Amino acid sequence: MKIKHYLKLKEDLVTETLDNGLKIVMIPKLPYHKTFAVLTTNYGALEQKFSINGGSVIDIPAGTAHFLEHKLFEKKNEDAFTKFGELGADANAFTNAFQTSYLFSTAQNFIPALIHLLDFVQTPYFTEKTVAKEQGIIGQEIQMYDDDPNWALYMGLLNTLYPGAAIAQDIAGTQNSILKITPELLYKLHSAFYQPNQLTLHIVGHFNPKEILAAIHDNQDKKNFKAVKITHYAEKFSTPNKIQVERHFNVSRPKVAFGIRVDHDNVLGVEGAKRVLIVDILNDLLFGEQTDWYQDLYSRGIIDTEFETSFDIIKSYQYVSFFSETEEYDLLTDAIQGQIDHYSKYLENQQNTFESLRKATIGEGIQKLNSLENIALQGDDVLFGTNLFDKIELLQDLTFDDILVTADKLYRNATLQRFLLRK
Amino acid sequence: MKKTIINKGAKLVVLPTTQFKTLHIAIDFSTLAEAKSISARALVSYLTAVSSAKYKNQQAVAKKTIDLYGAQYQTDVFRIGQMHHVRYTFQMPAPTYLSDESQLLKDAFDFLQEMIFNPLVENNAFDEETFLNEQKSLINELVSIKDDKNQYAIAKLRELTYDSPGMQMAAIGNKEDVAQLTSSEVYKAYIDMLHHNMMNIVVLGDVDHVQVSQILNEWPIVAHQDEKSVEPFYRQSAKQQPKELVDYQIDINQAMLTMAYQIDVAPFDNQRFAILVMNSLLGGTPLSKLFMNVREKESLAYSIYSRWQQDTGFLTIFAGLDSEKVSQADGMIKTQIKALQLGDFDHKTLEAVKQSLINDYLSRHDSPLSQIEVTFSQLLTAHETSEQKWIERINAVTAQEVQQVAQMLSFQSRYILLPEV
């Protein structure tokens, strides 16, 4: 059991890796009433191919990770979800591009609920019948997303930046792709991506680490796992073929998204976390609410408070994005392009603003620590191996020079692409 | 709960705690929801979010919140029961986590005082340019309600269900009223809010009561006459004939089925515990009949849930589903209600939903915003149930009591949104 103290933040991080490879991360917060636990595998929607123990390459249809997540809850005689309910715990699960997580929180019966979490995730049960039923249910879920214009906007942008790529596909897949899923495939995926050394268990809240650890040991010692060697296959990206794409949709006001793809500059681990923090501040410097640029567009009614920027690194994908609702999308296009063209001039003499923004970002990081869910889920553990406390420490050390260097990487010769949703 | 009266005009509650890493200040102005004033009040909240005499625009406000270590300042409008609220909320990192910042608490209060009491005004009207901008923003917001079919269906059901215009309208007003308002009319609504609304303040964090009262005593809070107190929760008499409406919308694939049932019971009647349990069994949890039977077993809906509103006396049901399954789902929902009325539910599920309610209740202690919300609600209703008593009452609810309150459900309205073919 290793303990790391974050003195300034008054937080302790307890970690342990079991012999079978299961990684456990515990953050005790004794004044809290609840405890939150989440079991995560690094397997998400982006995985398109894999092989096990040097065998042949197996294709994974779009939507399979999410499908597996749903199916894992269904057991021979009961639904895993129901048992959480009976214990008074709130359970949930989600799949994103790069992870699948199973979680619950409760103010009572924590250990029985935790054992149930480990048991249901580690005990697969897939049959032809249950797979067929799920194909119907998820089909409806896909449709539900289709009705949401914000979702259509986001997926539209990703498809413009990365045409046909895995990231541009719905996490739930399509009605057709999920029909290719079989129980056999699900068992194979489970044996590979759900073996203990692929799983991390986060526990945050009111508990005693020693007691919890003993319960986990006890549970895992009773189980036998066969080690499986996984081979991953990286995706090759196509080049974007259109600068501007438009789709008609029944929205009351046009919704527009912009993106800048960052290629050939993979950053891994802590460097990735640091890059995200730097770009968030860089984008605040260029496009934030405190800029003349923003105020000018706001007072001319070209943007409103819905305007936002974002920066994502997801494995080899790296992109800046902008979202807005506006009739004046052409003016906004020019305004963003103008700011990018002159980023270097604009950043001159911004040292003081950088300092204020750095402090504000630290302050925002501290505010996030109120929530057990945030601590367990928003630390980029899967992508970069950092937690929320690490991110605050990284911010302490950022310099204005970091901003300038990164600005060149992102915005020199950048191509701004646009996706528009309108009537 | 210790209350202090500030300048004969506002009630203050301080919740000292070191559980969180934040400081919260929330200020609430509430009054009876009236159709004629809701839109103007919504605009007040928009204007005072982005401007004051000192911080003249969004940019200046943003700069200030950045300097306050990434503080979050926002305004909201909403309705609880029959009261319309304008709420100012402020959150920043607790000064103890920031080095050398003894002035921060005072700075935070000064900023809020400026935003609330010192608006950007000229000749008894909000600054015209800011006004026109925010008016447009609010209209945009109102128009885009239609883009979210869940939100839209909820709004339409509300219009059908309530009798009083102040209850039918969205808490952010309506488009026509907002478009017609002038800057001086909105200023009048603002002055009216300061002078005649009930004003409550909740401060949560590593602070003490004395320190906070001292600061607030300097605020220009308007002394209130002893106005007659308004019953905050809403009740209306049951409709003889349920109201129903079906709409069609293009570009959607799935339908929405929503309905409202009334339970004729006073807000703080002892049956309220049984009603909470009954709602959990009907559609309030994943163990509920609607979720287990309509969604899981019969696959008639992708999403389905019910919600009990103690503040209005209505239990509402919302389902997202395929349009061809609407009538089947509707029948199935009625069957589930019937089952509760006949006492057809097992003991195990009954106990489980009680545990889940208690779990949710205890979890509120872990969120500063929930604690603030609970405190406001206690100030508003002058009603407080201790934690121990609340848990005891939930645990004591019997199957027979659940059955009884289920029998009181009276169908009032149904709104269906279908894809246009």
Side-chain angles (χ1 to χ4, degrees):
Chain A
M1 208 164 80
K2 274 194 298 197
I3 304 179
K4 184 169 177 187
H5 302 285
Y6 294 84
L7 293 177
K8 263 193 183 165
L9 295 171
K10 297 182 193 153
E11 301 280 4
D12 292 333
L13 182 87
V14 184
T15 51
E16 166 101 339
T17 304
L18 302 189
D19 292 341
N20 69 14
L22 176 67
K23 202 175 151 202
I24 302 156
V25 180
M26 295 183 282
I27 299 158
K29 305 267 282 177
L30 293 183
Y32 279 69
H33 294 68
K34 257 193 316 187
T35 305
F36 184 83
V38 48
L39 186 57
T40 296
T41 164
N42 298 3
Y43 164 61
L46 289 185
E47 211 84 40
Q48 289 183 309
K49 288 179 197 324
F50 76 120
S51 59
I52 45 181
N53 297 330
S56 54
V57 181
I58 304 166
D59 281 321
I60 308 174
T64 306
H66 175 254
F67 194 96
L68 202 166
E69 172 222 305
H70 273 223
K71 272 305 79 176
L72 216 40
F73 279 94
E74 193 169 336
K75 302 301 181 211
K76 195 170 182 186
N77 296 316
E78 59 158 19
D79 189 312
F81 211 52
T82 312
K83 176 104 181 257
F84 281 115
E86 288 167 5
L87 291 166
D90 282 336
N92 211 338
F94 67 88
T95 305
N96 64 25
F98 50 87
Q99 79 186 82
T100 311
S101 291
Y102 301 84
L103 48 104
F104 73 88
S105 71
T106 184
Q108 49 200 344
N109 299 325
F110 179 72
I111 289 182
L114 179 67
I115 297 305
H116 177 54
L117 175 73
L118 288 166
D119 286 349
F120 100 80
V121 172
Q122 292 183 321
T123 320
Y125 173 76
F126 309 117
T127 67
E128 296 287 348
K129 199 179 152 204
T130 61
V131 166
K133 187 190 160 206
E134 192 67 20
Q135 283 161 338
I137 293 178
I138 295 192
Q140 280 193 45
E141 184 172 345
I142 295 169
Q143 268 196 13
M144 189 175 71
Y145 283 116
D146 285 346
D147 287 353
D148 178 354
N150 289 321
W151 184 249
L153 181 72
Y154 191 61
M155 294 314 282
L157 176 68
L158 288 176
N159 249 309
T160 308
L161 293 172
Y162 301 98
I167 203 166
Q169 294 178 24
D170 200 313
I171 283 166
T174 64
Q175 306 261 15
N176 281 330
S177 73
I178 57 173
L179 288 178
K180 297 180 195 147
I181 296 170
T182 62
E184 191 200 359
L185 173 67
L186 295 179
Y187 275 116
K188 274 188 188 147
L189 286 163
H190 190 276
S191 73
F193 296 110
Y194 285 78
Q195 55 182 321
N197 65 20
Q198 300 291 308
L199 298 176
T200 304
L201 175 64
H202 275 87
I203 304 172
V204 190
H206 189 100
F207 63 92
N208 173 345
K210 278 196 182 134
E211 187 193 350
I212 297 297
L213 212 49
I216 298 171
H217 264 293
D218 194 39
N219 174 269
Q220 293 296 293
D221 288 349
K222 286 184 203 146
K223 294 176 185 166
N224 272 317
F225 299 96
K226 219 194 278 164
V228 171
K229 188 175 161 291
I230 311 168
T231 312
H232 298 267
Y233 297 88
E235 187 185 359
K236 286 197 189 72
F237 297 157
S238 57
T239 2
N241 41 23
K242 289 189 186 115
I243 297 295
Q244 297 196 347
V245 178
E246 187 172 315
R247 181 180 160 196
H248 291 279
F249 203 97
N250 186 34
V251 282
S252 45
R253 260 204 311 168
K255 287 177 185 280
V256 63
F258 302 87
I260 294 169
R261 224 174 109 156
V262 184
D263 288 329
H264 315 298
D265 193 23
N266 276 358
V267 276
L268 301 169
V270 174
E271 286 308 306
K274 200 171 152 189
R275 160 93 40 112
V276 173
L277 296 168
I278 293 169
V279 178
D280 283 346
I281 295 182
L282 167 64
N283 282 344
D284 270 347
L285 281 167
L286 294 171
F287 308 103
E289 280 179 273
Q290 86 296 344
T291 60
D292 295 343
W293 180 88
Y294 184 102
Q295 186 56 37
D296 173 56
L297 296 174
Y298 187 90
S299 63
R300 286 156 66 201
I302 295 170
I303 57 171
D304 58 24
T305 47
E306 306 274 311
F307 175 79
E308 52 182 307
T309 66
S310 172
F311 175 65
D312 292 274
I313 301 179
I314 299 170
K315 301 198 169 174
S316 339
Y317 298 93
Q318 193 176 149
Y319 54 93
V320 181
S321 47
F322 306 84
F323 302 91
S324 192
E325 253 185 57
T326 179
E327 300 283 349
E328 304 291 353
Y329 41 83
D330 284 330
L331 289 175
L332 180 57
T333 311
D334 294 344
I336 294 174
Q337 186 68 58
Q339 197 73 339
I340 289 165
D341 291 343
H342 303 111
Y343 76 90
S344 144
K345 180 113 191 69
Y346 194 90
L347 290 174
E348 282 172 16
N349 310 318
Q350 292 283 314
Q351 175 101 39
N352 288 340
T353 315
F354 161 75
E355 265 314 312
S356 310
L357 284 171
R358 192 180 64 86
K359 279 191 198 162
T361 313
I362 291 172
E364 285 161 9
I366 291 169
Q367 293 176 66
K368 273 193 189 168
L369 301 181
N370 276 350
S371 147
L372 306 178
E373 285 84 344
N374 281 349
I375 293 174
L377 291 173
Q378 291 199 359
D380 293 331
D381 294 78
V382 174
L383 286 171
F384 309 126
T386 53
N387 60 39
L388 282 186
F389 314 141
D390 298 329
K391 290 213 260 187
I392 293 171
E393 292 195 336
L394 285 172
L395 280 165
Q396 313 272 13
D397 297 332
L398 288 193
T399 65
F400 189 53
D401 207 43
D402 290 326
I403 300 286
L404 297 176
V405 170
T406 307
D408 285 339
K409 286 193 175 139
L410 257 67
Y411 292 133
R412 183 181 287 168
N413 307 319
T415 307
L416 184 71
Q417 292 178 260
R418 183 177 92 179
F419 178 78
L420 178 66
L421 212 58
R422 66 180 177 111
K423 262 187 191 159
Chain B
M1 190 171 70
K2 187 184 163 197
K3 273 180 287 191
T4 316
I5 308 294
I6 306 286
N7 295 355
K8 295 184 181 155
K11 286 189 205 114
L12 165 71
V13 174
V14 178
L15 305 169
T17 172
T18 53
Q19 182 182 352
F20 306 108
K21 291 187 161 64
T22 41
L23 168 75
H24 298 258
I25 307 168
I27 294 158
D28 187 85
F29 293 92
S30 59
T31 189
L32 200 63
E34 289 178 310
K36 63 177 166 47
S37 65
I38 288 177
S39 297
R41 292 167 62 82
L43 260 174
V44 168
S45 78
Y46 268 55
L47 283 159
T48 49
V50 298
S51 65
S52 79
K54 187 172 171 192
Y55 308 112
K56 293 193 188 320
N57 54 33
Q58 176 85 358
Q59 182 179 25
V61 174
K63 279 185 175 160
K64 184 64 197 172
T65 53
I66 288 167
D67 286 342
L68 289 169
Y69 287 83
Q72 294 168 26
Y73 163 65
Q74 74 178 60
T75 64
D76 294 288
V77 285
F78 52 90
R79 189 174 29 224
I80 299 175
Q82 55 184 341
M83 306 294 279
H84 189 258
H85 297 251
V86 178
R87 172 87 50 93
Y88 293 84
T89 51
F90 178 89
Q91 174 188 327
M92 70 173 200
T96 36
Y97 292 94
L98 306 165
S99 31
D100 180 39
E101 296 293 337
S102 51
Q103 264 298 301
L104 265 181
L105 184 70
K106 181 75 168 68
D107 286 354
F109 276 97
D110 286 352
F111 169 72
L112 264 182
Q113 179 185 346
E114 167 70 21
M115 297 309 292
I116 298 171
F117 293 100
N118 200 15
L120 185 58
V121 166
E122 207 174 337
N123 300 325
N124 292 324
F126 282 99
D127 173 70
E128 191 63 21
E129 193 192 329
T130 313
F131 175 80
L132 292 174
N133 246 318
E134 294 309 313
Q135 184 181 39
K136 197 176 150 204
S137 283
L138 180 51
I139 291 172
N140 285 334
E141 179 67 27
L142 284 161
V143 170
S144 66
I145 289 178
K146 211 171 174 176
D147 293 346
D148 180 335
K149 66 174 196 257
N150 292 297
Q151 222 190 334
Y152 183 67
I154 289 170
K156 297 296 277 188
L157 179 69
R158 186 180 57 230
E159 280 174 27
L160 273 186
T161 306
Y162 292 116
D163 296 338
S164 106
M167 293 298 291
Q168 290 171 342
M169 194 184 273
I172 57 167
N174 81 36
K175 201 175 63 180
E176 292 71 29
D177 291 355
V178 173
Q180 279 175 15
L181 281 165
T182 66
S183 173
S184 59
E185 285 165 344
V186 175
Y187 183 68
K188 276 200 199 89
Y190 163 78
I191 293 295
D192 185 66
M193 176 182 95
L194 292 189
H195 286 256
H196 301 294
N197 279 198
M198 188 197 296
M199 181 180 178
N200 291 323
I201 305 172
V202 179
V203 180
L204 180 148
D206 189 6
V207 289
D208 75 55
H209 205 113
V210 177
Q211 196 183 9
V212 172
S213 322
Q214 271 170 1
I215 297 175
L216 286 174
N217 278 325
E218 304 300 313
W219 276 26
I221 292 169
V222 184
H224 283 44
Q225 312 287 334
D226 273 337
E227 287 167 40
K228 56 178 189 300
S229 62
V230 189
E231 166 56 52
F233 286 176
Y234 176 81
R235 289 295 183 265
Q236 70 183 27
S237 48
K239 294 183 214 314
Q240 297 303 316
Q241 190 67 36
K243 283 194 174 178
E244 307 196 33
L245 184 65
V246 180
D247 273 343
Y248 295 86
Q249 196 172 315
I250 54 166
D251 267 1
I252 58 171
N253 297 302
Q254 285 182 337
M256 292 290 302
L257 166 63
T258 68
M259 44 187 111
Y261 286 81
Q262 194 179 43
I263 302 179
D264 185 16
V265 65
F268 290 99
D269 189 281
N270 278 334
Q271 284 185 306
R272 70 184 191 277
F273 299 98
I275 297 174
L276 277 176
V277 175
M278 185 272 287
N279 175 62
S280 293
L281 280 171
L282 176 62
T285 68
L287 298 177
S288 67
K289 289 196 171 285
L290 293 181
F291 190 87
M292 295 293 278
N293 297 336
V294 183
R295 182 187 188 270
E296 295 291 295
K297 206 180 276 172
E298 302 293 329
S299 296
L300 287 174
Y302 179 69
S303 66
I304 185 160
Y305 65 93
S306 69
R307 192 160 86 97
W308 161 244
Q309 285 181 275
Q310 184 195 5
D311 63 328
T312 61
F314 282 92
L315 184 146
T316 38
I317 296 171
F318 304 96
L321 67 180
D322 278 350
S323 47
E324 63 268 26
K325 290 181 177 162
V326 169
S327 74
Q328 213 186 333
D330 188 71
M332 183 90 185
I333 291 169
K334 296 220 158 68
T335 312
Q336 304 311 305
I337 292 175
K338 194 85 204 155
L340 285 182
Q341 291 171 337
L342 294 170
D344 174 17
F345 46 87
D346 58 55
H347 178 74
K348 200 168 136 189
T349 315
L350 174 67
E351 290 310 310
V353 302
K354 286 186 196 172
Q355 290 319 301
S356 161
L357 281 166
I358 293 168
N359 194 39
D360 289 348
Y361 184 87
L362 292 172
S363 298
R364 299 190 313 195
H365 294 296
D366 289 349
S367 152
L369 297 182
S370 300
Q371 288 197 29
I372 291 170
E373 208 48 61
V374 170
T375 309
F376 273 127
S377 160
Q378 289 167 349
L379 283 168
L380 193 69
T381 59
H383 197 103
E384 216 178 319
T385 309
S386 75
E387 177 173 316
Q388 194 197 351
K389 193 173 162 201
W390 195 93
I391 293 174
E392 272 171 27
R393 293 310 266 282
I394 289 291
N395 274 325
V397 170
T398 65
Q400 199 185 5
E401 286 166 342
V402 169
Q403 199 180 336
Q404 274 164 8
V405 293
Q407 286 163 2
M408 294 164 75
L409 285 166
S410 157
F411 177 55
Q412 298 289 294
S413 53
R414 172 168 48 212
Y415 176 76
I416 299 171
L417 184 64
L418 292 171
E420 189 163 310
V421 279

